[in-house]
Amino acid sequence: MAKKGFIILILAVFVAGGVFAQKHTVTVDVGPTIIGLGISAAFKALENSVDADVGIDSSGFGIGAQYELQPFEKLSFAARFAYLGFGFGFSETDDRGVTAKADIDMSSFSIEAHARYYPFTGTFFVDGMGGYGSLKTDLSGEIIVVERGNRYAESISESLSRGYVKLGAKLGWRFVFGSSGGFTFEPSVGYYYGIGLGDTLGSQLADAVSDATGNMIEDISGLDSAFGVFEDFLFIGGPRVSLAFGWRF
């Protein structure tokens, strides 16, 4: 009986030690705030896809926040929230001299679940992610429509949105400045991929204009290409660089 009690005591100490050995890390990621480098590339791709003159006087803001729980020496789990938004001007003149122009405000948020593996029980980690993202676009201005062979600019004001399943992976390093915790710096690089749910943003815009005017946009391929650049390489998917600062305890 005493032997069983001793074994139970040892197990209790082991379990309690495992619980108290858990580490918590809270970080704020400034990566989204410097993702403007990607915005320039997206503008260039937009110009190439729709032959448009895109305004460069854009403004944007982004932020990410993460909580990580590490119950095991080599494995941890994290929840992350991220936001990115910016606005810009867009204009396009066709070969008949009809001009379409718009002010566009785009914003996205993401809720992500992460699992991290630390293969060398040190700073280096491999991160796998699954989550949900949403992209909202508020658009106002004029768009080119066709009526009985005639082309003209039609005033529009629409709010579009689409949801996405997100998958991704990252490689990174966690540097802790303290023997048992303290200030933390986490740089990482990776790639995210989004699976769109429902109609594309270009298709939604074409349907909205058609319902409002009774006319069809001549060609939505350019619209889908333009929105696709932002979805695939900026707001939802594409390369990811993270510079996170926080506290480990």
Side-chain angles (χ1 to χ4, degrees):
M1 188 71 178
K3 189 174 182 179
K4 289 184 178 179
F6 179 74
I7 292 175
I8 292 174
L9 178 61
I10 293 297
L11 290 174
V13 171
F14 176 78
V15 172
V19 171
F20 288 113
Q22 291 180 352
K23 287 292 186 177
H24 311 266
T25 307
V26 178
T27 56
V28 174
D29 182 12
V30 300
T33 65
I34 61 174
I35 207 169
L37 295 174
I39 293 179
S40 297
F43 278 153
K44 186 63 178 178
L46 178 61
E47 289 176 321
N48 293 336
S49 65
V50 298
D51 191 24
D53 178 21
V54 180
I56 60 174
D57 54 341
S58 62
S59 61
F61 172 77
I63 197 70
Q66 177 173 287
Y67 166 72
E68 178 191 6
L69 172 66
Q70 186 169 0
F72 308 106
E73 190 175 25
K74 291 188 176 183
L75 184 65
S76 71
F77 305 95
R80 184 175 188 272
F81 173 83
Y83 170 86
L84 176 65
F86 75 92
F88 63 94
F90 169 92
S91 65
E92 177 186 12
T93 301
D94 66 11
D95 54 4
R96 299 185 185 181
V98 181
T99 299
K101 57 184 178 180
D103 292 320
I104 301 176
D105 292 309
M106 305 183 74
S107 61
S108 69
F109 74 86
S110 299
I111 300 173
E112 305 166 0
H114 292 253
R116 284 185 175 184
Y117 179 61
Y118 294 83
F120 311 118
T121 64
T123 62
F124 177 73
F125 63 82
V126 179
D127 183 304
M129 181 278 294
Y132 173 82
S134 178
L135 175 59
K136 181 182 178 183
T137 301
D138 293 318
L139 185 149
S140 61
E142 297 179 330
I143 196 165
I144 299 175
V145 297
V146 179
E147 181 180 13
R148 299 175 183 175
N150 297 319
R151 298 163 59 86
Y152 62 95
E154 178 72 28
S155 296
I156 57 170
S157 180
E158 297 293 338
S159 181
L160 317 171
S161 63
R162 193 185 189 196
Y164 306 81
V165 174
K166 296 184 61 176
L167 302 171
K170 296 193 298 183
L171 302 176
W173 297 261
R174 182 179 63 197
F175 301 101
V176 182
F177 300 88
S179 58
S180 60
F183 177 74
T184 303
F185 172 55
E186 295 184 359
S188 63
V189 294
Y191 195 92
Y192 284 4
Y193 178 74
I195 303 172
L197 306 174
D199 293 337
T200 65
L201 295 177
S203 178
Q204 291 182 46
L205 179 58
D207 290 343
V209 173
S210 177
D211 291 341
T213 66
N215 301 304
M216 293 298 296
I217 298 177
E218 182 181 17
D219 183 7
I220 68 167
S221 61
L223 288 171
D224 271 337
S225 296
F227 283 121
V229 168
F230 291 113
E231 294 171 341
D232 297 338
F233 297 103
L234 186 61
F235 285 99
I236 303 299
R240 285 294 181 268
V241 176
S242 175
L243 295 174
F245 301 84
W247 195 263
R248 182 170 170 82
F249 55 94

